[in-house]
Amino acid sequence: MTEEHPRFVLLQARDPGDPMSRHEQLCFANALSVPAEQITLHDLLQGAPPPSVTETHDAILVGGSGDYSVLGDHDFLPAFFDFLANVVIKEEVPTFASCFGFQALVLAGGGEVVHDDTRAEVGTYTLTLTEAGAADPLFKTLPNPFRAQLGHKDHAARLPAGMLNLASSESAPFQALRVEGLPVVATQFHPELTREANTERYLRYWDAYGTGDKTNDPVLARMADSPDSTALLSRWVEMTLAK
């Protein structure tokens, strides 16, 4: 690997033909400031990637999931959780996971995730760094508080031992984590999304998240820019992959 041309693999759980698969790839590419061709897509619905993926890629990304939940009875989940526990964490693979990926990492480590529509966060929200977040080499570069893009109904209720809680919101106490001492970071929020991209994502999944009135929708009205959180991904690459 050279610093100028790192190779990423993006793990996705999205149905065939879902346009958000390509959309997510482009969002990560833009946030990482790399060509989309440097991000290989892996379909988790076809199974977890082989451990050898770490030999052909410099870092792992885990994105959202569209219509899938880490709490669902999906055939692909057990092998995916095993991959996170036995490859990502055990082998200390540089990894950045968001939303669905955040929740999956929590479960893979032995934590707890719950579903709660009343605490769903969709749109742009203000988050606060924890004491650990303010001391983390990556997250301490953020202002405190900071804005971020969100879109979830499941949330972490308990982090596993060895995972540090880096940020929180009014509705969800666990918004970001680092596996202690490792280049493995995850966020409940979406640092790969801009205001515009989150709006596109929200409208794509309108049937699941929308209010039914696009002309007077509180989520659309709440969408705002979040440049500080979007800068996290490229900064993570600089800190993690630079030789």
Side-chain angles (χ1 to χ4, degrees):
M1 192 275 291
T2 63
E3 183 178 350
E4 294 79 12
H5 302 289
R7 300 292 305 182
F8 303 90
V9 58
L10 173 58
L11 311 185
Q12 297 181 306
R14 297 188 182 278
D15 287 328
D18 186 344
M20 290 298 103
S21 175
R22 173 64 171 170
H23 181 267
E24 185 171 60
Q25 181 188 33
L26 293 174
C27 288
F28 270 105
N30 289 336
L32 290 164
S33 298
V34 302
E37 293 70 28
Q38 285 178 221
I39 303 177
T40 302
L41 301 183
H42 177 86
D43 182 6
L44 289 169
L45 303 186
Q46 302 303 312
S52 60
V53 72
T54 61
E55 300 171 8
T56 54
H57 296 82
D58 302 294
I60 294 173
L61 307 170
V62 190
S65 62
D67 299 313
Y68 295 90
S69 165
V70 296
L71 300 175
D73 185 21
H74 308 304
D75 291 341
F76 73 90
L77 285 176
F80 174 41
F81 295 154
D82 286 345
F83 175 82
L84 293 175
N86 298 321
V87 177
V88 167
I89 296 176
K90 189 174 182 179
E91 298 184 11
E92 304 182 5
V93 180
T95 299
F96 199 119
S98 71
C99 198
F100 173 82
F102 170 86
Q103 297 158 6
L105 199 61
V106 170
L107 290 181
E112 182 183 2
V113 174
V114 298
H115 179 86
D116 188 348
D117 286 341
T118 67
R119 294 167 65 183
E121 294 174 304
V122 185
T124 311
Y125 286 79
T126 298
L127 278 57
T128 303
L129 294 175
T130 63
E131 184 176 348
D136 184 83
L138 175 62
F139 279 78
K140 71 180 183 181
T141 63
L142 290 170
N144 194 18
F146 65 96
R147 284 197 301 237
Q149 306 299 329
L150 286 98
H152 70 102
K153 295 181 179 180
D154 299 339
H155 68 271
R158 176 178 55 83
L159 294 190
M163 293 189 184
L164 301 175
N165 181 30
L166 306 179
S168 65
S169 69
E170 188 173 316
S171 296
F174 306 109
Q175 284 284 354
L177 67 83
R178 178 185 293 275
V179 180
E180 193 168 6
L182 302 186
V184 179
V185 175
T187 59
Q188 178 59 78
F189 60 93
H190 287 271
E192 78 278 10
L193 295 183
T194 61
R195 172 185 183 173
E196 294 77 15
N198 200 19
T199 300
E200 290 178 53
R201 184 80 57 85
Y202 176 59
L203 293 175
R204 167 64 180 82
Y205 295 111
W206 179 262
D207 290 343
Y209 289 96
T211 64
D213 182 5
K214 294 180 182 179
T215 62
N216 187 30
D217 181 78
V219 173
L220 292 175
R222 191 169 56 243
M223 293 288 188
D225 293 329
S226 55
D228 295 309
S229 58
T230 303
L232 274 178
L233 278 162
S234 60
R235 193 173 295 124
W236 174 75
V237 167
E238 293 171 4
M239 292 181 172
T240 306
L241 301 184
K243 298 294 186 181

